[in-house]
Coordinates of all heavy atoms in Angstrom, one line a residue:
A186 N -292.7 115.6 -48.6 CA -292.3 115.0 -49.9 C -291.0 115.5 -50.3 O -290.7 116.7 -50.1 CB -293.3 115.2 -50.9
R206 N -281.1 112.1 -45.1 CA -280.7 112.4 -43.7 C -280.0 111.2 -43.2 O -280.3 110.0 -43.5 CB -282.0 112.7 -42.9 CG -282.7 114.0 -43.3 CD -283.8 114.3 -42.4 NE -284.3 115.7 -42.8 CZ -285.2 116.3 -42.0 NH1 -285.7 115.8 -40.9 NH2 -285.7 117.5 -42.4
K235 N -268.1 101.8 -60.2 CA -268.0 100.8 -61.2 C -269.1 100.8 -62.2 O -269.0 100.6 -63.4 CB -268.0 99.4 -60.5 CG -266.6 99.2 -59.7 CD -266.5 97.8 -59.2 CE -267.5 97.5 -58.1 NZ -267.2 96.1 -57.5

Side-chain angles (χ1 to χ4, degrees):
R206 295 186 174 190
K235 291 189 290 186

